[in-house]
């Protein structure tokens, strides 16, 4: 087997499209010859750094996005539904504290499934249960569901406010900007020594073509079973 291609996934749990991209890439770890690197970053910093305008601030885009997410939730088999006030969730409350917490989990664990589980539970809180992710108690509740112990959570909450973790999140966000990011999810595939950037959760077929793999749909285990 040829060496696995490195694939970086930049994401923020405030982004519903990032949740879709995250779940698909996690599923394909078992089907594609890739080394998936999760890169939790801060979408607010991306939007500011790239001079981009969130789609939710454009009325017609916001209306479309709400309908689109309902269709995508079914297609991708992700329990995604819009919160009662998406504007408050995305633009007023934001995700800085949550992403610092995720960065702390990754910093402590390095490589493993805890960052996967914590990220997923934070997405679930916002985009499935319409719950807060800004307060320490909210982060703790998500971490408990992700399987972390009380002592781990206490340590991670402290780490999340440290200079080291703040700088880690800034550095990852800047790395995304350096690749040319203007929003999330952003996936960077390293092919023949060159980075190939893909934005959004609707470029998987093209991505597969570029890395020499086969796209089996959003649920590859089901597609493979039919072959």
């Amino acid at each position: 087997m040829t060496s696995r291609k490195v694939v970086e996934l930049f994401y923020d749990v405030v982004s519903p499209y990032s949740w879709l991209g995250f779940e698909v890439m996690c599923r394909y770890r078992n089907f594609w010859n890739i080394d998936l690197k999760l890169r939790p970053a801060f979408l607010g910093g991306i939007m500011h750094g790239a001079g981009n305008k969130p789609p939710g601030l454009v009325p017609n885009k916001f209306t479309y996005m709400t309908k689109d997410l309902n269709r995508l939730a079914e297609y991708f088999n992700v329990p995604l539904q819009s919160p009662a006030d998406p504007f408050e969730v995305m633009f007023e409350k934001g995700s800085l504290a949550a992403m610092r917490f995720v960065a702390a989990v990754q910093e402590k664990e390095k490589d493993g499934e805890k960052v996967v589980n914590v990220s997923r539970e934070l997405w679930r809180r916002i985009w499935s249960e319409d719950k807060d992710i800004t307060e320490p108690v909210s982060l703790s509740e998500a971490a408990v569901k992700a399987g972390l112990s009380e002592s781990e959570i206490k340590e991670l909450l402290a780490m999340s406010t440290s200079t080291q973790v703040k700088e880690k999140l800034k550095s990852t966000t800047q790395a995304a900007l350096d690749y040319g990011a203007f929003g999330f999810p952003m996936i960077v595939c390293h092919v023949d020594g060159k980075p190939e950037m893909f934005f959004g959760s609707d470029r998987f077929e093209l991505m597969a073509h570029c890395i020499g793999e086969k796209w089996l749909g959003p649920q590859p285990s089901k597609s493979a079973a039919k072959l």
Side-chain angles (χ1 to χ4, degrees), residues 89-205:
V89 167
M90 291 188 285
F91 308 123
E92 293 181 6
K93 287 188 172 183
S95 60
L96 184 56
M99 294 315 296
R100 283 175 175 168
F101 187 77
V102 175
V105 173
Q106 190 174 58
E107 180 70 14
K108 186 174 186 295
E109 188 187 26
K110 299 303 180 186
D111 292 307
E113 288 300 299
K114 288 182 180 177
V115 68
V116 171
N117 296 335
V118 169
S119 297
R120 182 176 288 128
E121 290 302 330
L122 289 169
W123 264 306
R124 196 186 304 276
R125 283 185 71 85
I126 312 179
W127 291 102
S128 192
E129 302 170 353
D130 197 5
K131 294 180 179 177
D132 175 73
I133 61 160
T134 63
E135 300 295 332
V137 65
S138 303
L139 300 175
S140 297
E141 288 174 1
V144 167
K145 286 191 174 183
L148 275 64
S149 68
E150 186 176 335
S151 59
E152 283 180 298
I153 294 168
K154 185 176 181 180
E155 180 183 357
L156 290 165
L157 285 172
M159 283 180 64
S160 69
T161 61
S162 69
T163 300
Q164 180 182 359
V165 167
K166 289 179 180 179
E167 288 302 318
K168 174 183 173 66
L169 187 64
K170 282 183 182 178
S171 176
T172 306
T173 303
Q174 185 58 52
L177 286 168
D178 291 344
Y179 277 129
F182 52 88
F184 285 161
M186 187 189 78
I187 302 171
V188 179
C189 301
H190 294 267
V191 183
D192 297 328
K194 297 180 181 179
E196 294 283 349
M197 185 185 89
F198 300 88
F199 168 72
S201 56
D202 58 354
R203 292 291 184 269
F204 297 114
E205 191 168 1

Side-chain angles (χ1 to χ4, degrees), residues 20-142:
L20 302 174
F22 173 90
E23 295 296 354
V24 168
M25 292 309 301
C26 284
R27 293 167 188 170
Y28 270 89
R29 288 183 298 179
N30 299 320
F31 288 87
W32 288 350
N33 187 31
I34 61 173
D35 181 10
L36 180 63
K37 303 290 188 183
L38 297 179
R39 304 277 268 150
F42 180 47
L43 182 56
I46 295 295
M47 302 303 280
H48 177 76
N52 197 4
K53 186 177 183 180
L57 297 181
V58 180
N60 281 1
K61 283 185 179 181
F62 183 79
T63 300
Y64 173 80
M65 188 174 76
T66 302
K67 183 178 180 180
D68 190 45
L69 287 173
N70 290 334
R71 295 182 298 207
L72 289 169
E74 180 183 2
Y75 176 68
F76 283 99
N77 191 29
V78 174
L80 192 159
Q81 58 184 31
S82 295
D85 190 345
F87 188 90
E88 178 189 35
V89 167
M90 291 188 285
F91 308 123
E92 293 181 6
K93 287 188 172 183
S95 60
L96 184 56
M99 294 315 296
R100 283 175 175 168
F101 187 77
V102 175
V105 173
Q106 190 174 58
E107 180 70 14
K108 186 174 186 295
E109 188 187 26
K110 299 303 180 186
D111 292 307
E113 288 300 299
K114 288 182 180 177
V115 68
V116 171
N117 296 335
V118 169
S119 297
R120 182 176 288 128
E121 290 302 330
L122 289 169
W123 264 306
R124 196 186 304 276
R125 283 185 71 85
I126 312 179
W127 291 102
S128 192
E129 302 170 353
D130 197 5
K131 294 180 179 177
D132 175 73
I133 61 160
T134 63
E135 300 295 332
V137 65
S138 303
L139 300 175
S140 297
E141 288 174 1

